[in-house]
Amino acid sequence: SQTIHQWPATLVQPVGSPLSLECTVEGTSNPNLYWYRQAAGRGLQLLFYSVGIGQISSEVPQNLSASRPQDRQFILSSKKLLLSDSGFYLCAWSVGSSETQYFGPGTRLLVL
Amino acid sequence: AQSVTQLDSQVPVFEEAPVELRCNYSSSVSVYLFWYVQYPNQGLQLLLKYLSGSTLVKGINGFEAEFNKSQTSFHLRKPSVHISDTAEYFCAVRPGGYNKLIFGAGTRLAVHP
């Protein structure tokens, strides 16, 4: 069966520091991968999605970037964090034309 | 452009009472519809989905939802809630032909004894 991991589970970082959040999927090949952000008390906003290695689509202009160095690995990065980057970051995957996305456990980021 | 509106940000209800969480969407193309549940500090878990066929969809944990095309709604219902149903519920749509999910702002269901 397929599983999705996110690391770390929680993170506290100072403003201006770099960021790297990792998402890995097991049990499937060539998944579509997604990064969402959930701000406190709000819904989910799609940040990036990828349909293959090295293929990244950005949904909103922002301080973040994404990379997909391997088929089942999706990384969310920033060179300099802002206070507004605080939130709950969720990774998700789907396969081919499947309509359903499955979510990881999330990473809670607090920027101070 | 597509959008999803969850009409209630919070729904308090007593244990064993019925509940309905409302979701309306707007889209110029056909859509697939989803409900997800999020327990505190966890990711999202798929409750149910409507892709095609019968407009009444049954999901996990006793939840069901009905797709109403004319009213562009996909309300979630449960005839008798438990304390353990306390969570945040998200309605989402996926426009046909797109890989993206569009989420509503969420409804916080609080079940009281």
Side-chain angles (χ1 to χ4, degrees):
Chain A
S1 64
Q2 300 88 359
T3 56
I4 179 169
H5 304 279
Q6 288 189 242
W7 187 88
T10 60
L11 190 60
V12 180
Q13 291 285 93
V15 169
S17 64
L19 174 74
S20 180
L21 303 183
E22 185 171 335
C23 170
T24 58
V25 180
E26 297 177 356
T28 185
S29 296
N30 197 28
N32 301 316
L33 296 172
Y34 310 82
W35 277 113
Y36 290 87
R37 176 169 59 203
Q38 184 180 20
R42 300 179 66 178
L44 280 77
Q45 180 185 37
L46 179 62
L47 302 176
F48 302 94
Y49 71 94
S50 171
V51 298
I53 295 175
Q55 300 178 62
I56 309 293
S57 296
S58 175
E59 287 297 296
V60 293
Q62 60 204 312
N63 185 42
L64 301 169
S65 62
S67 61
R68 186 169 176 174
Q70 300 180 41
D71 181 44
R72 289 170 286 180
Q73 185 184 31
F74 204 24
I75 296 173
L76 185 69
S77 304
S78 174
K79 292 182 179 178
K80 287 186 178 181
L81 283 169
L82 307 172
L83 286 174
S84 58
D85 291 324
S86 293
F88 194 47
Y89 289 83
L90 288 157
C91 182
W93 67 272
S94 67
V95 176
S97 60
S98 169
E99 301 80 5
T100 305
Q101 292 182 21
Y102 298 94
F103 286 79
T107 294
R108 187 163 300 283
L109 172 65
L110 179 60
V111 183
L112 301 176
Chain B
Q2 294 83 15
S3 66
V4 179
T5 302
Q6 291 185 241
L7 297 160
D8 307 294
S9 59
Q10 296 186 60
V11 174
V13 64
F14 287 110
E15 194 173 18
E16 297 184 5
V19 71
E20 178 180 81
L21 306 184
R22 296 179 292 170
C23 173
N24 287 88
Y25 69 92
S26 66
S27 177
S28 57
V29 299
S30 61
V31 297
Y32 304 112
L33 297 154
F34 304 83
W35 275 99
Y36 286 87
V37 60
Q38 184 180 34
Y39 298 102
N41 295 311
Q42 294 187 26
L44 273 68
Q45 180 181 5
L46 181 67
L47 266 181
L48 48 79
K49 59 185 177 183
Y50 172 78
L51 305 180
S52 65
S54 172
T55 57
L56 183 63
V57 179
K58 294 189 182 298
I60 62 172
N61 300 341
F63 284 93
E64 64 181 30
E66 187 159 17
F67 170 53
N68 187 318
K69 188 175 182 179
S70 62
Q71 298 186 7
T72 60
S73 68
F74 191 53
H75 301 333
L76 182 70
R77 302 186 184 101
K78 186 170 182 178
S80 176
V81 295
H82 302 289
I83 296 288
S84 59
D85 292 322
T86 295
E88 185 113 26
Y89 292 80
F90 291 95
C91 180
V93 303
R94 183 187 181 221
Y98 291 87
N99 276 326
K100 308 170 191 178
L101 279 177
I102 300 165
F103 283 86
T107 296
R108 185 170 300 277
L109 175 65
V111 182
H112 302 285

